[in-house]
């Protein structure tokens, strides 16, 4: 079994996902195959894909919500099924992400790799002696210093930065370095929760609070207890959800949907966004009062292109987490240092994992990485920053051409958000169509 042969739950009742199963096996995944209607959760690995389309499948999964929340599972459903409110609630409550079929199997494979990485981070709990944000460059040293300062306070924290820069890692470091480290750390992806379910997901609900609420459920705020509540992608919430969150933050009190008893929370609030919230406030997309409420302590995490000397340090760290002796060839090292990594640390990690899966002898080459080694005599630019920006612009132009100008597809391929890609296109004055 090669370096990236990982176990993943593959629960299905139909044959629709057979091509996806083959592709996962070809990429070194070991599938734990189960039927959705005959599940054995005691055999579940921490990540997996679960088909959920029918009423029967939903009923089988609802009692397993605590198990689903402990891992990183992806739901595979369809558009008709997601029109059902009960299905929306189950997906939002128990799954790390969901996909409507048919979709690109490569997207699912990539998402499963992301889930595996997050699962590994959560199972290998960070400590003060084991920081998760590596790097010796000044921006990273400064970021770690501020994180440890923030950990000694109970004030709200706002983490900003491009996709893949390590905002959740920073949030976990704050929690683990704080006096709350023995209490829960609860992460909520605001972008993945349907707007109509935001209050129920955050505050919980009583039985019969709305159609489909067949039993009472505690919310994520209750789950956080005296620990930390991490609200990721907070900039993607709609206006109603922003107002709901603001009322809670101002008082620290909430009432589960359909309930009458007021509850109080002592959880510390840490928020993150890959959107420039100050600009969103100016353009009317984000509430000014909510921005001031969450932006008490703030930290902007630098993109990888701002500390390129850390690329090899990060690479060695990621490879050390994989089984078997793995090493980088000279051309691989050169390619890693040459690539701009618009998807930041997440793109670097996935690039290395892909290379480990393709290598037969543990020696990772530029070809395994899917990167091009730099020419032996590159065109001399006036500064190193100019050279990096030249390569980044060239890579963006090539990617857009490959995606026929489709920004959404290009952003997914690059591993960044659409808003980040639009900012880069504006920076380099690149059109979306050639």
């Amino acid at each position: 079994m090669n370096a990236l042969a990982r176990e993943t739950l593959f629960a299905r009742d139909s044959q629709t996902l057979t091509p996806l199963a083959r592709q996962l096996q070809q990429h070194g995944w070991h599938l734990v195959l189960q039927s959705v209607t005959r599940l054995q959760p005691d055999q579940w690995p921490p990540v997996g894909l679960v088909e959920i389309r029918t009423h029967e499948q939903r009923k089988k999964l609802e009692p397993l919500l605590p198990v689903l929340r402990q891992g990183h599972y992806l739901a595979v459903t369809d558009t008709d099924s997601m029109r059902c409110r009960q299905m929306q609630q189950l997906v939002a409550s128990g799954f790390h992400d969901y996909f409507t079929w048919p979709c690109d199997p490569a997207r699912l494979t990539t998402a499963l790799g992301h889930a595996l990485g997050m699962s590994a981070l959560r199972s290998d709990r960070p400590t003060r002696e084991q920081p998760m944000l590596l790097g010796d460059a000044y921006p990273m040293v400064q970021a770690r210093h501020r994180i440890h300062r923030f950990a000694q306070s109970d004030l709200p924290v706002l983490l900003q930065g491009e996709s893949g820069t390590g905002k959740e890692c920073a949030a976990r470091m704050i929690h683990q370095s704080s006096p709350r480290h023995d209490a829960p750390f609860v992460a909520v992806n605001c972008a993945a929760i349907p707007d109509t379910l935001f209050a129920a997901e955050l505050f919980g609900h009583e039985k019969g609070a709305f159609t489909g609420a067949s039993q009472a459920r505690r919310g994520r705020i209750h789950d956080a207890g005296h620990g930390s509540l991490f609200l990721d992608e907070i900039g993607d919430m709609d206006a109603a959800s922003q107002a709901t969150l603001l009322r809670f933050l101002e008082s620290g009190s909430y009432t589960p949907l359909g309930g009458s008893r007021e509850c109080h929370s002592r959880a510390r609030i840490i928020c993150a966004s890959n959107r420039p919230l100050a600009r969103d406030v100016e353009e009317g997309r984000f509430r000014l009062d909510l921005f001031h409420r969450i932006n008490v302590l703030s930290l902007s995490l630098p993109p990888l292109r701002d500390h390129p000397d850390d690329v090899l340090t990060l690479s060695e760290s990621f490879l050390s987490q994989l089984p078997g002796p793995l090493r980088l060839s000279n051309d691989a090292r050169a390619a890693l240092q040459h690539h701009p990594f618009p998807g930041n640390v997440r793109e670097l990690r996935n690039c290395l994992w892909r290379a480990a899966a393709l290598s037969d002898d543990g020696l990772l080459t530029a070809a395994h990485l899917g990167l091009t080694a730099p020419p032996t005599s590159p065109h001399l630019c006036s500064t190193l920053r100019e050279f990096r920006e030249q390569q980044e612009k060239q890579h963006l132009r090539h990617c857009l051409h490959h995606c026929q100008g489709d920004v959404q597809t290009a952003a997914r391929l690059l591993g960044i958000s659409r808003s980040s890609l639009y900012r880069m296109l504006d920076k380099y004055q690149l059109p979306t169509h050639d």
Side-chain angles (χ1 to χ4, degrees), residues 2-6 27 113-114 116 134 304 310-329 331-337 339 341 344-360 362-371:
N2 62 36
L4 270 187
R6 291 289 190 268
H27 282 77
H114 291 172
L116 177 65
L134 300 178
L304 189 53
D310 288 331
V311 168
L312 292 182
T313 300
L314 289 164
S315 299
E316 296 296 343
S317 175
F318 285 132
L319 293 178
S320 70
Q321 298 171 13
L322 302 175
L326 297 169
R327 62 193 189 282
L328 295 166
S329 66
D331 73 324
R333 289 174 174 273
L336 287 170
Q337 292 178 303
H339 186 64
F341 288 106
N344 296 297
V345 179
R346 182 183 295 121
E347 181 188 355
L348 171 62
R349 180 198 63 189
N350 292 346
C351 185
L352 292 163
W353 285 6
R354 178 174 60 247
L358 296 174
S359 174
D360 294 325
L363 179 64
L364 312 186
T365 66
H368 291 141
L369 293 166
L371 304 177

Side-chain angles (χ1 to χ4, degrees), residues 238-285:
D238 70 341
S241 298
Q242 291 179 33
T244 298
L245 179 61
L246 178 63
R247 286 194 295 271
F248 162 68
L249 294 179
E250 287 178 335
S251 65
S253 302
Y254 65 96
T255 302
L257 268 65
S260 56
R261 182 173 60 87
E262 188 176 68
C263 303
H264 299 274
S265 171
R266 292 178 56 191
R268 194 210 185 146
I269 305 300
I270 306 174
C271 300
S273 175
N274 61 12
R275 302 170 59 95
L277 291 186
R279 190 178 72 184
D280 284 355
V281 169
E282 293 175 358
E283 297 176 355
R285 289 195 296 267

Side-chain angles (χ1 to χ4, degrees), residues 305-309 337-338 378-392:
R305 62 182 174 274
D306 285 354
H307 54 113
D309 291 343
Q337 292 178 303
H338 174 71
H379 172 68
L380 185 62
C381 298
S382 58
T383 66
L384 181 59
R385 177 178 291 275
E386 181 182 344
F387 177 77
R388 287 199 300 267
E389 290 181 346
Q390 180 188 76
Q391 298 304 310
E392 188 174 81

Side-chain angles (χ1 to χ4, degrees), residues 14-35:
S14 70
Q15 298 302 312
T16 307
L17 305 184
T18 299
L20 175 62
R22 293 197 192 100
Q23 180 166 337
L24 288 173
Q25 289 172 327
Q26 290 170 357
H27 282 77
W29 291 85
H30 172 67
L31 307 186
V32 177
L33 298 171
Q34 292 188 8
S35 167

Side-chain angles (χ1 to χ4, degrees), residues 108-286:
L108 276 171
T109 305
T110 300
L112 194 61
H114 291 172
L116 177 65
M118 294 310 300
S119 176
L121 290 175
R122 291 190 179 184
S123 62
D124 188 16
R125 294 179 57 159
T127 65
R128 293 175 180 84
E129 293 73 35
Q130 185 188 0
M132 298 173 63
L133 291 178
L134 300 178
D136 298 323
Y138 177 74
M140 298 308 298
V141 173
Q142 186 180 44
R144 289 197 297 271
H145 174 71
R146 298 191 71 180
I147 284 170
H148 288 302
R149 291 288 298 271
F150 291 174
Q152 309 312 311
S153 168
D154 284 331
L155 295 172
V157 178
L158 175 61
L159 303 169
Q160 297 195 87
E162 297 177 8
S163 294
T165 50
K167 295 184 290 295
E168 183 165 351
C169 292
R172 290 181 179 278
M173 285 182 66
I174 293 172
H175 175 76
Q176 291 295 335
S177 300
S178 76
R180 301 171 182 261
H181 64 272
D182 288 330
F185 175 92
V186 175
V188 179
N189 185 350
C190 298
I193 303 175
D195 298 333
T196 55
L197 294 178
F198 181 79
E201 178 70 14
L202 210 60
F203 305 140
H205 61 78
E206 301 294 340
K207 181 178 179 180
F210 50 82
T211 303
S214 57
Q215 57 186 2
R217 188 177 69 80
R218 293 171 174 172
R220 307 309 296 273
I221 293 176
H222 180 278
D223 293 342
H226 295 171
S228 301
L229 180 68
F230 176 55
L231 301 175
D232 197 10
E233 305 302 354
I234 194 171
D236 289 342
M237 294 192 305
D238 70 341
S241 298
Q242 291 179 33
T244 298
L245 179 61
L246 178 63
R247 286 194 295 271
F248 162 68
L249 294 179
E250 287 178 335
S251 65
S253 302
Y254 65 96
T255 302
L257 268 65
S260 56
R261 182 173 60 87
E262 188 176 68
C263 303
H264 299 274
S265 171
R266 292 178 56 191
R268 194 210 185 146
I269 305 300
I270 306 174
C271 300
S273 175
N274 61 12
R275 302 170 59 95
L277 291 186
R279 190 178 72 184
D280 284 355
V281 169
E282 293 175 358
E283 297 176 355
R285 289 195 296 267
F286 198 81

